[in-house]
CSV table of all heavy atoms in Angstrom, one decimal:
chain,number,residue,atom,x,y,z
A,16,VAL,N,-30.4,69.1,190.4
A,16,VAL,CA,-29.0,69.1,190.9
A,16,VAL,C,-28.9,69.9,192.2
A,16,VAL,O,-28.3,69.6,193.2
A,16,VAL,CB,-28.0,69.6,189.9
A,16,VAL,CG1,-26.6,69.9,190.5
A,16,VAL,CG2,-27.9,68.6,188.7
A,17,LEU,N,-29.6,71.1,192.2
A,17,LEU,CA,-29.6,72.0,193.4
A,17,LEU,C,-30.3,71.3,194.5
A,17,LEU,O,-29.8,71.3,195.7
A,17,LEU,CB,-30.3,73.3,193.0
A,17,LEU,CG,-30.4,74.3,194.2
A,17,LEU,CD1,-29.0,74.8,194.6
A,17,LEU,CD2,-31.3,75.5,193.8
A,18,LEU,N,-31.5,70.6,194.3
A,18,LEU,CA,-32.2,69.9,195.4
A,18,LEU,C,-31.4,68.8,195.9
A,18,LEU,O,-31.3,68.5,197.1
A,18,LEU,CB,-33.5,69.4,194.9
A,18,LEU,CG,-34.6,70.5,194.7
A,18,LEU,CD1,-35.9,69.9,194.1
A,18,LEU,CD2,-34.9,71.1,196.0
A,19,MET,N,-30.7,68.0,195.0
A,19,MET,CA,-29.9,66.9,195.5
A,19,MET,C,-28.7,67.4,196.3
A,19,MET,O,-28.3,66.8,197.3
A,19,MET,CB,-29.4,66.1,194.3
A,19,MET,CG,-30.5,65.3,193.7
A,19,MET,SD,-30.2,64.3,192.3
A,19,MET,CE,-28.4,64.0,192.3
A,20,SER,N,-28.0,68.5,195.9
A,20,SER,CA,-26.9,69.0,196.7
A,20,SER,C,-27.3,69.5,198.0
A,20,SER,O,-26.6,69.3,199.0
A,20,SER,CB,-26.1,70.0,195.9
A,20,SER,OG,-26.9,71.2,195.7
A,21,VAL,N,-28.5,70.2,198.1
A,21,VAL,CA,-29.0,70.7,199.4
A,21,VAL,C,-29.4,69.6,200.3
A,21,VAL,O,-29.2,69.6,201.5
A,21,VAL,CB,-30.1,71.7,199.1
A,21,VAL,CG1,-30.8,72.1,200.4
A,21,VAL,CG2,-29.6,73.0,198.5
A,22,GLY,N,-30.0,68.5,199.7
A,22,GLY,CA,-30.5,67.4,200.5
A,22,GLY,C,-29.4,66.6,201.1
A,22,GLY,O,-29.6,65.8,202.0
A,23,CYS,N,-28.2,66.6,200.5
A,23,CYS,CA,-27.1,65.9,200.9
A,23,CYS,C,-26.1,66.7,201.8
A,23,CYS,O,-24.9,66.3,202.0
A,23,CYS,CB,-26.3,65.2,199.8
A,23,CYS,SG,-27.3,64.0,198.9
A,24,THR,N,-26.5,67.8,202.2
A,24,THR,CA,-25.7,68.7,203.1
A,24,THR,C,-26.0,68.4,204.5
A,24,THR,O,-27.1,68.3,204.9
A,24,THR,CB,-26.0,70.2,202.8
A,24,THR,OG1,-25.7,70.4,201.4
A,24,THR,CG2,-25.1,71.1,203.6
A,25,ALA,N,-24.9,68.2,205.3
A,25,ALA,CA,-25.1,67.9,206.7
A,25,ALA,C,-25.6,69.1,207.5
A,25,ALA,O,-25.1,70.2,207.2
A,25,ALA,CB,-23.8,67.4,207.3
A,26,LEU,N,-26.6,69.0,208.3
A,26,LEU,CA,-27.1,70.0,209.2
A,26,LEU,C,-26.8,69.6,210.6
A,26,LEU,O,-26.9,68.5,211.0
A,26,LEU,CB,-28.6,70.2,209.0
A,26,LEU,CG,-29.1,70.6,207.6
A,26,LEU,CD1,-30.6,70.6,207.5
A,26,LEU,CD2,-28.5,72.0,207.2
A,27,TYR,N,-26.5,70.6,211.4
A,27,TYR,CA,-26.2,70.3,212.8
A,27,TYR,C,-27.2,71.1,213.7
A,27,TYR,O,-27.6,72.2,213.5
A,27,TYR,CB,-24.8,70.8,213.2
A,27,TYR,CG,-23.7,70.1,212.4
A,27,TYR,CD1,-23.3,70.5,211.1
A,27,TYR,CD2,-23.2,68.9,212.8
A,27,TYR,CE1,-22.4,69.8,210.4
A,27,TYR,CE2,-22.3,68.1,212.1
A,27,TYR,CZ,-21.9,68.6,210.9
A,27,TYR,OH,-21.0,67.9,210.2
A,28,ARG,N,-27.6,70.4,214.8
A,28,ARG,CA,-28.6,71.0,215.7
A,28,ARG,C,-28.0,70.7,217.2
A,28,ARG,O,-27.7,69.6,217.5
A,28,ARG,CB,-29.9,70.4,215.5
A,28,ARG,CG,-31.0,71.0,216.5
A,28,ARG,CD,-32.3,70.6,216.1
A,28,ARG,NE,-32.7,71.3,214.9
A,28,ARG,CZ,-33.7,71.0,214.1
A,28,ARG,NH1,-34.4,69.9,214.4
A,28,ARG,NH2,-34.0,71.7,213.1
A,29,ASN,N,-28.1,71.8,218.0
A,29,ASN,CA,-27.6,71.7,219.4
A,29,ASN,C,-28.9,71.5,220.3
A,29,ASN,O,-29.9,72.2,220.1
A,29,ASN,CB,-26.8,72.9,219.8
A,29,ASN,CG,-25.5,73.0,219.0
A,29,ASN,OD1,-24.9,72.0,218.8
A,29,ASN,ND2,-25.2,74.1,218.6
A,30,HIS,N,-28.8,70.7,221.3
A,30,HIS,CA,-29.8,70.5,222.3
A,30,HIS,C,-29.2,70.7,223.7
A,30,HIS,O,-28.1,70.2,224.0
A,30,HIS,CB,-30.4,69.1,222.2
A,30,HIS,CG,-31.2,68.9,220.9
A,30,HIS,ND1,-32.5,69.3,220.7
A,30,HIS,CD2,-30.8,68.3,219.7
A,30,HIS,CE1,-32.8,69.0,219.5
A,30,HIS,NE2,-31.8,68.4,218.9
A,31,GLY,N,-30.0,71.3,224.6
A,31,GLY,CA,-29.5,71.4,226.0
A,31,GLY,C,-28.5,72.5,226.2
A,31,GLY,O,-28.2,73.3,225.4
A,32,TYR,N,-28.0,72.4,227.4
A,32,TYR,CA,-27.1,73.5,227.9
A,32,TYR,C,-26.1,72.9,228.9
A,32,TYR,O,-26.4,72.1,229.8
A,32,TYR,CB,-27.8,74.6,228.6
A,32,TYR,CG,-27.0,75.5,229.4
A,32,TYR,CD1,-26.1,76.4,228.9
A,32,TYR,CD2,-27.1,75.4,230.8
A,32,TYR,CE1,-25.4,77.2,229.7
A,32,TYR,CE2,-26.3,76.2,231.6
A,32,TYR,CZ,-25.4,77.1,231.0
A,32,TYR,OH,-24.7,77.9,231.8
A,33,ALA,N,-24.8,73.2,228.7
A,33,ALA,CA,-23.7,72.8,229.6
A,33,ALA,C,-22.9,74.1,229.9
A,33,ALA,O,-22.5,74.8,228.9
A,33,ALA,CB,-22.9,71.7,229.1
A,34,PRO,N,-22.6,74.4,231.1
A,34,PRO,CA,-21.9,75.6,231.4
A,34,PRO,C,-20.4,75.5,230.9
A,34,PRO,O,-19.9,74.4,230.8
A,34,PRO,CB,-21.9,75.7,233.0
A,34,PRO,CG,-22.4,74.4,233.4
A,34,PRO,CD,-23.1,73.7,232.3
A,35,THR,N,-19.8,76.6,230.6
A,35,THR,CA,-18.5,76.7,230.1
A,35,THR,C,-17.5,76.5,231.3
A,35,THR,O,-17.9,76.6,232.5
A,35,THR,CB,-18.2,78.0,229.5
A,35,THR,OG1,-18.3,79.1,230.5
A,35,THR,CG2,-19.1,78.3,228.3
A,36,ASP,N,-16.2,76.3,231.0
A,36,ASP,CA,-15.2,76.1,232.0
A,36,ASP,C,-15.1,77.4,232.8
A,36,ASP,O,-14.8,77.4,234.0
A,36,ASP,CB,-13.9,75.8,231.4
A,36,ASP,CG,-13.8,74.3,230.9
A,36,ASP,OD1,-14.6,73.5,231.4
A,36,ASP,OD2,-13.1,74.0,230.0
A,37,ASP,N,-15.2,78.6,232.2
A,37,ASP,CA,-15.2,79.9,232.9
A,37,ASP,C,-16.3,80.0,233.9
A,37,ASP,O,-16.1,80.4,235.1
A,37,ASP,CB,-15.2,81.0,231.9
A,37,ASP,CG,-14.0,81.1,231.0
A,37,ASP,OD1,-13.0,80.6,231.4
A,37,ASP,OD2,-14.2,81.7,229.9
A,38,GLN,N,-17.5,79.5,233.6
A,38,GLN,CA,-18.6,79.6,234.5
A,38,GLN,C,-18.4,78.6,235.7
A,38,GLN,O,-18.6,78.9,236.8
A,38,GLN,CB,-19.9,79.2,233.8
A,38,GLN,CG,-20.4,80.3,232.9
A,38,GLN,CD,-21.6,79.8,232.1
A,38,GLN,OE1,-21.7,78.7,231.6
A,38,GLN,NE2,-22.6,80.7,232.0
A,39,LEU,N,-17.8,77.4,235.3
A,39,LEU,CA,-17.6,76.4,236.4
A,39,LEU,C,-16.4,76.8,237.3
A,39,LEU,O,-16.4,76.4,238.5
A,39,LEU,CB,-17.3,75.0,235.8
A,39,LEU,CG,-18.5,74.4,235.1
A,39,LEU,CD1,-18.0,73.0,234.5
A,39,LEU,CD2,-19.6,74.1,236.1
Side-chain angles (χ1 to χ4, degrees):
V16 168
L17 180 64
L18 285 175
M19 287 178 23
S20 65
V21 169
C23 293
T24 302
L26 300 173
Y27 297 92
R28 181 169 286 160
N29 296 318
H30 294 276
Y32 162 74
T35 64
D36 288 333
D37 293 336
Q38 290 173 317
L39 290 177

